[in-house]
Amino acid sequence: MAKFDLIITNGKVVSASDISTCCIGVKDGKIRTLVDSFDPEEMEGARVIDAQGAYVMPGGIDAHVHLCQDLKTGPHGLGGECSDNFETGSKSAAAGGTTTIITFATQTRAEEDRSLLHVVKAYNARAEATGSYVDYGFHIIIVRNDADVLEEEMSVLMKDWGISSCKLFLTYETQRLTDSQLLDVMFAAKKNSMTTMIHAENGDMIQWLTVKQLCNNAHECSEKLESKGMVAPYYHALSRPPLVEGEATNRAIALAQLIQNPILFVHVGSALGAANVRRAQTMGLPVYAETCPQYFHLTWEDLKRFHSPTCFENSKMICSPPPPPDTSDQEELFVGLENGTFTIYSSDHCPFRYDHPNGKPSGVLEDAASMEGEHHCTGKELQSLLERKQGAFRLIPNGIPGVETRLPLLYTGALSTGRITPQKFVELTSTNPAKLYGLYPKKGAIMPGSDADFVIWHPEEAFQSFKLTNDMLHHNVDYTPYEGMEFSNWPRYTILRGQVIWEDGKIQGKVGDGEYLKRGPSQLVRGVSKATKDPRCVAGWLYE
């Protein structure tokens, strides 16, 4: 009987703290040993991968992935429908070096979604309907504050499902909570050792900037973006200046501090938002932040990328928060990667097709002005319509694809340029997500006993850089925001629990290889005792 199933040799093995040149032995899906070398008899019967001096890292953990979600909130019931299910989305993840994804079971305000357990069971059925190429877990999005549900079901989510994180919104009419409602859910999360994720944009500011308002005499009070005719995709960014994120991060920090609740700000995209997070961390508060590739590689100018500023094709670039106005914010964000302001680096993969009525085109199909004298259409007729109409940015589903490009973008833009170290790369993309969301050391580590999840890169001196095209990717999306971008490396192998699922440009795994992961409490949550007991800021008596 073979001592090992898989052996990796000649690799620069990277953890969140160290780099070492060693060999790895894998048996039964687990890392068994790290040694200088193996004897020939130890290698007998094992598959041997020669890393050829390239980086060997823990498999990527993408903690912000949207799959199988319906966001059909438009006036005519179209709106967004995620184009990736668990099969296509996880296949794309594997091709990009990611071995674990955490996706979102989404509550709505419909009465049938009042029960969080019902929401999770229904979402789990979607995952099981196709299966996954990689391991996966769930967050829960909560948009209601029903006291009995929070009291009775949050503990069940934690105990039976291993769902140790919930996401709350400060924007979107169908999802945002008032401050009082936010406190209700945060308080329940705190009592059940759940980490609260916050989408921090001030919804009232966005609406005020966007939608025209009428005075009592039925005349418009003030000229907003829509009344000025500024409705094309580019103006999405103007409706969400960085101050929108700045206000919301400040407010959420205050709410969380009041009840001592640990929070994670998702997709922080501005230097202002990052500065607020950094200030809270300096105070000793358990405040964490996530950022994403789009905030380092796109700007407002990308919303003018195509032949006209009003070209609807620019809807492909719309995400929330939008990327920063220019590259000056990006420099500040790079500092945040290195100094620890950002705890994790995720994709916020939120895929919508450009050739489907429930994708980006719903921004035209849902817009009365654009559809006057027209009819809903598909196929070539739909594309012809999009070439003639500018739509309305507030009706365009917010989100871009990125689960496959996440790690290569960070490698190209930060690791190969020396902006971050290999250790920081691993910390941001694997180890910290595992710790933050209760998966460490099963995931996110290269140590005996951990799952044998790896991403092995190409040796840098042997890899020829290339320009990306969408047909190279494996998602079910008909575009990538990073079309034409030059990449300096790409995963050569992706290995899930000792099984090679991606090798030299080809998928080797199969759907169903991935397993559902029950998670525990965050292993990062901590706070300075003085900061958590100051009665001027903390209502500590709530827990007495």
Side-chain angles (χ1 to χ4, degrees), residues 236-289:
H236 167 83
L238 273 65
S239 75
R240 291 160 167 81
L243 185 63
V244 166
E245 183 176 65
E247 188 284 331
T249 48
N250 263 337
R251 177 157 46 97
I253 289 168
L255 294 173
Q257 185 178 6
L258 178 70
I259 60 173
Q260 307 171 66
N261 186 53
I263 55 173
L264 177 283
F265 288 107
V266 295
H267 48 51
V268 174
S270 67
L272 182 57
N276 291 339
V277 170
R278 187 67 175 174
R279 186 163 51 250
Q281 293 168 341
T282 302
M283 291 169 58
L285 301 177
V287 174
Y288 307 94

Side-chain angles (χ1 to χ4, degrees), residues 417-429:
T417 60
R419 290 181 180 269
I420 63 172
T421 64
Q423 298 96 312
K424 179 61 72 171
F425 185 103
V426 169
E427 179 184 313
L428 288 163
T429 63

Side-chain angles (χ1 to χ4, degrees), residues 73-289:
T73 57
H76 304 294
L78 290 173
E81 179 181 294
C82 286
S83 59
D84 274 318
N85 59 19
F86 275 84
E87 179 178 1
T88 60
S90 65
K91 184 178 183 180
S92 187
T98 291
T99 53
T100 298
I101 55 176
I102 310 180
T103 64
F104 294 88
T106 306
Q107 185 186 44
T108 71
R109 293 196 173 129
E111 192 60 26
E112 61 265 26
D113 281 346
R114 186 176 188 274
S115 167
L116 297 174
L117 294 176
H118 165 79
V119 168
V120 169
K121 290 174 184 176
Y123 188 65
N124 185 58
R126 293 188 174 195
E128 292 184 339
T130 62
S132 173
Y133 283 86
V134 301
D135 288 351
Y136 62 97
F138 302 152
H139 306 292
I140 179 78
I141 291 176
I142 301 177
V143 301
R144 303 171 55 128
N145 66 324
D146 302 294
D148 58 330
V149 173
L150 296 177
E151 179 67 28
E152 297 167 9
E153 296 190 359
M154 294 283 268
S155 61
V156 179
L157 290 176
M158 188 74 166
K159 178 184 176 186
D160 294 352
W161 286 90
I163 294 176
S164 57
S165 47
C166 61
K167 183 180 179 184
L168 313 180
F169 286 83
L170 278 66
T171 189
Y172 299 136
E173 189 173 343
T174 59
Q175 294 179 298
R176 62 175 165 166
L177 300 171
T178 65
D179 288 356
S180 176
Q181 292 170 329
L182 286 164
L183 286 168
D184 283 343
V185 182
M186 283 183 177
F187 189 57
K190 164 75 174 177
K191 290 195 295 184
N192 288 281
S193 300
M194 282 189 176
T195 297
T196 303
M197 309 162 71
I198 302 288
H199 178 133
E201 291 182 290
N202 184 307
D204 286 334
M205 293 171 76
I206 295 169
Q207 186 175 25
W208 191 89
L209 290 169
T210 302
V211 182
K212 64 183 179 182
Q213 296 177 326
L214 298 179
C215 295
N216 293 333
N217 60 5
H219 294 296
E220 291 180 17
C221 290
S222 55
E223 293 285 302
K224 307 297 174 55
L225 287 168
E226 287 193 347
S227 55
K228 288 178 176 288
M230 300 165 72
V231 296
Y234 168 72
Y235 298 108
H236 167 83
L238 273 65
S239 75
R240 291 160 167 81
L243 185 63
V244 166
E245 183 176 65
E247 188 284 331
T249 48
N250 263 337
R251 177 157 46 97
I253 289 168
L255 294 173
Q257 185 178 6
L258 178 70
I259 60 173
Q260 307 171 66
N261 186 53
I263 55 173
L264 177 283
F265 288 107
V266 295
H267 48 51
V268 174
S270 67
L272 182 57
N276 291 339
V277 170
R278 187 67 175 174
R279 186 163 51 250
Q281 293 168 341
T282 302
M283 291 169 58
L285 301 177
V287 174
Y288 307 94

